[in-house]
Each structure stands twice: as C-alpha cells, then as structure tokens.
C-alpha cells in the first residue's frame, strides 16, 4: 500500500489504463522497486498476491494462503532460477495469485489446483526486462493471470494439476522435502530502506556505514560482493531512473590512501535486522506527505477504500474496485 501510493504520479500509471485492476495495481506497486521482498527466495510476494486478493474481493486469510504458496514455490525454484536470468516473482507469482484469488472466490482444493495449473502458461518473466516498464508490467501480468485462472476454474474450466510440477522441473526447480506448516512466509518479508533492487540494499548500507568512518580526502570507493548476489544488476551505466534501480558493479582496482572495511551481515530492513520506527516513519513520509496519515490505523477493509480513492480503476464486473 505504502509504495503503491508513492507511485501515484509515475508515468507508468497512464500506460496501465488498458489493464484489469489486479495487473494495474501490481505494476504500480512494483515500479519503484520499493516493495517488500522475500529474500530467501528472491520473490516479491505481497505485490502479486495482495492485488489478486483485492481484485477477487478477498480478505487477509486469502492473502496469507497465496503468500504461503508463493514462498514455497520460490523455495522450490531456488537461487539457480534467478542466476539463470528468470524472474521468480512472476514464475512463482502467477500460481500463487491463483490460490489467493481462488480462495477469495470460494474454490475448494480441487478448484485451487486447477486454478494453479491454468495460471502456469502466464508464469514467466525474464531479467532482460529489468530497467524498463516491462519489469513491473510482467509482475502485473502474473497477478492478473492468477485472478483470470481462478475465475476460469470457478466457471468450470479444466486443467491437469501435474502441469505445475512439470513446469517447475523444466525451469530448474526441485521439490523440497519438508516445509513448515507455519508461518505462512518462512523467514518473513524484508522492508526495503532504499528504492532499488534487493541486491543493492547491503552495498548501499555498507557505503553509508563507511561514510561515518572516513575523514578527509577520499580517492575512490570499492564495493566487493559475491558475484551471485548481484546477478540481476544488469545496467553498468544506467541512463534512466528505471535502469538506476539495477546498477551494475563493474570491477576495478583504484588506488587509495587507506582502506576502510565494513561487512554488514544483513541489509537494513531484513527480518534479522528490522528497520527502526524512525526509519519506517521516514519511508512512509518519503512515499508522500499524506501517506503517514493514510496508513494510521489502517485495516484491510480500510485499505480497499484507499485504493478506490487513489487508484480508481474499473474492476471486473461485480468485483471490488
């Protein structure tokens, strides 16, 4: 909700006019890359499942069901999925959105399995889209695919549930032996302090820490990090604000007068390093001067009212705006 409000005036808003409400809201909530990631699986869970639930008229229970499915699908896909250039938020997101929307629409277990299978054809996305409108739009497409699949399943469409397992195998996923029944999202979600790719959160935090240690002239700054963690950072020389969310870290060996080293184990906002109340308030205020007041005491039902006011999109017939 917070980061979606921050994007109210983003140019993408006008481009999403032809899209259904789930796709629009998911795309707008992700365009700044300020939404909460699940760092264990490289997925952005809420940005897909919440718009799907809202579009289907569901509640927080439906969201938690979809979030739980997405976390587990993301774990099956693993880090290799990201390293191969795929966008796990979409791959895991479309079937998870089908569960979230399907539960909101009253589907039983068989219906939910059918909905997940029907969402698989739209469960795709590549990192080549990063730095363009395509990145947030494909997240929107995943959310909408889930809603569409749930509606089709409720209407009587059939599908073979085995298609999901087959798809996971084709994209390098591996079934996990055991998953905890609770919590819905093992490890919890992170809260980003900086509006950019999750891979940049720790390097930025490290630079901020170093800034407080350095006095006098600085000749250069070198940031070192394992190559696998920055694989999505594909724009070595960002030319637009969208590309600036994915800045590459080119290797170089600058000469410098002295070395200052810092190694933050976790980025700020990670579940193991939660943001302070002051940081959370600052993030809300940065998303818009009216945002802190809009969020104060906000309930699930109240969130729907905020969406109606600030994102007055046309819903599917008979569904919540």
């Amino acid at each position: 909700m917070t980061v979606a409000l921050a994007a109210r005036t983003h140019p993408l808003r006008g481009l999403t006019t032809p899209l259904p409400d789930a796709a629009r809201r998911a795309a707008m909530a992700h365009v700044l890359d300020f939404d909460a990631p699940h760092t264990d699986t490289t997925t952005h869970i809420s940005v897909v499942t919440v718009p799907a639930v809202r579009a289907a008229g569901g509640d927080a229970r439906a969201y938690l069901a979809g979030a739980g499915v997405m976390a587990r699908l993301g774990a099956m896909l693993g880090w290799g999925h990201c390293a191969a250039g795929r966008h796990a938020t979409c791959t895991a997101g479309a079937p998870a959105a089908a569960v979230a929307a399907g539960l909101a629409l009253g589907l039983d277990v068989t219906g939910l399995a059918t909905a997940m299978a029907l969402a698989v054809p739209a469960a795709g996305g590549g990192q080549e889209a990063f730095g363009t409108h395509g990145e947030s739009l494909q997240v929107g497409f995943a959310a909408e695919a889930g809603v569409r699949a749930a509606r089709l399943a409720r209407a009587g469409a059939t599908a073979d549930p085995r298609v999901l397992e087959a798809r996971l195998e084709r994209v390098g996923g591996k079934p996990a032996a055991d998953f905890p029944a609770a919590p819905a999202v093992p490890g919890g979600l992170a809260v980003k302090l900086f509006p950019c790719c999750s891979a940049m959160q720790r390097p930025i935090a490290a630079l901020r820490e170093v800034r407080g240690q350095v006095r006098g002239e600085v000749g250069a700054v070198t940031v070192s990090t394992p190559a696998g963690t920055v694989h999505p950072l594909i724009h070595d020389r960002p030319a637009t604000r969208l590309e600036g969310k994915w800045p590459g870290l080119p290797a170089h060996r600058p000469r410098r007068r002295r070395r200052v080293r810092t190694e933050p184990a976790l980025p700020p906002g990670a579940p193991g390093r939660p943001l302070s109340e002051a940081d959370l308030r600052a993030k809300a205020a940065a998303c818009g001067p009216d945002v802190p007041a809009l969020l104060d005491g906000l309930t699930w039902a109240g969130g729907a009212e905020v969406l109606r006011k600030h994102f007055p999109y046309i819903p599917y017939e008979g569904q919540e705006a």
Side-chain angles (χ1 to χ4, degrees):
M1 177 71 72
T2 305
V3 296
L5 291 171
R8 282 172 287 180
T9 61
H10 194 280
L12 181 65
R13 181 167 183 166
L15 299 176
T16 61
T17 300
L19 301 177
D21 59 322
R24 290 167 172 167
R25 290 173 177 169
M28 293 306 300
H30 190 62
V31 68
L32 300 179
D33 226 307
F34 214 8
D35 49 302
H38 183 228
T39 52
D40 290 351
T41 61
T42 75
T43 59
H44 290 254
I45 290 176
S46 295
V47 78
V48 175
T49 52
V50 170
V53 171
R54 291 290 190 191
D59 56 16
R61 175 173 171 268
Y63 159 68
L64 288 173
V69 168
M70 190 164 174
R72 286 153 180 79
L73 288 175
M76 291 180 189
L77 292 170
W79 283 86
H81 190 71
C82 176
R86 299 185 174 98
H87 195 183
T89 298
C90 302
T91 316
V99 171
L103 193 63
L105 294 173
L107 296 183
D108 60 14
V109 172
T110 300
L112 292 173
T114 299
M116 292 178 75
L118 289 170
V120 166
Q127 294 175 18
E128 295 82 4
F130 293 177
T132 71
H133 292 133
E135 185 231 338
S136 50
L137 285 172
Q138 65 189 16
V139 170
F141 299 156
E144 172 54 27
V147 177
R148 182 175 63 240
R151 290 186 176 280
L152 288 168
R154 188 177 67 166
T158 62
D160 189 336
R162 292 177 298 179
V163 70
L164 178 60
E165 182 178 349
R167 176 62 179 273
L168 286 172
E169 291 178 355
R170 291 191 190 105
V171 297
K174 297 179 180 179
D178 295 299
F179 282 118
V185 180
L189 299 178
V191 179
K192 286 186 178 180
L193 188 57
F194 315 112
C196 58
C197 173
S198 299
M200 284 300 299
Q201 302 295 310
R202 192 161 64 169
I204 292 174
L207 286 172
R208 284 162 61 102
E209 292 178 10
V210 167
R211 184 176 60 184
Q213 303 176 36
V214 175
R215 297 291 185 272
E217 181 181 353
V218 176
V221 174
T222 300
V223 177
S224 300
T225 189
T229 65
V230 294
H231 186 274
L233 304 179
I234 60 176
H235 294 284
D236 288 345
R237 301 184 185 281
T240 68
R241 294 182 67 179
L242 287 173
E243 291 181 355
K245 299 184 302 177
W246 307 91
L249 299 175
H252 58 283
R253 294 180 175 275
R255 292 182 299 172
R256 53 194 180 277
R257 297 185 178 184
R258 54 181 172 145
R259 182 187 300 270
V260 178
R261 186 182 184 89
T262 184
E263 297 184 12
L266 295 170
R273 187 184 173 187
L275 297 183
S276 66
E277 287 297 323
D279 284 334
L280 289 171
R281 288 194 298 270
K283 176 171 180 173
C287 289
D290 60 337
V291 170
L294 290 172
L295 298 178
D296 187 30
L298 191 67
T299 63
W300 181 269
E305 294 299 323
V306 172
L307 285 174
R308 287 191 186 99
K309 178 179 179 181
H310 295 278
F311 295 93
Y313 299 134
I314 300 173
Y316 284 106
E317 182 178 356
Q319 294 302 307
E320 177 187 14

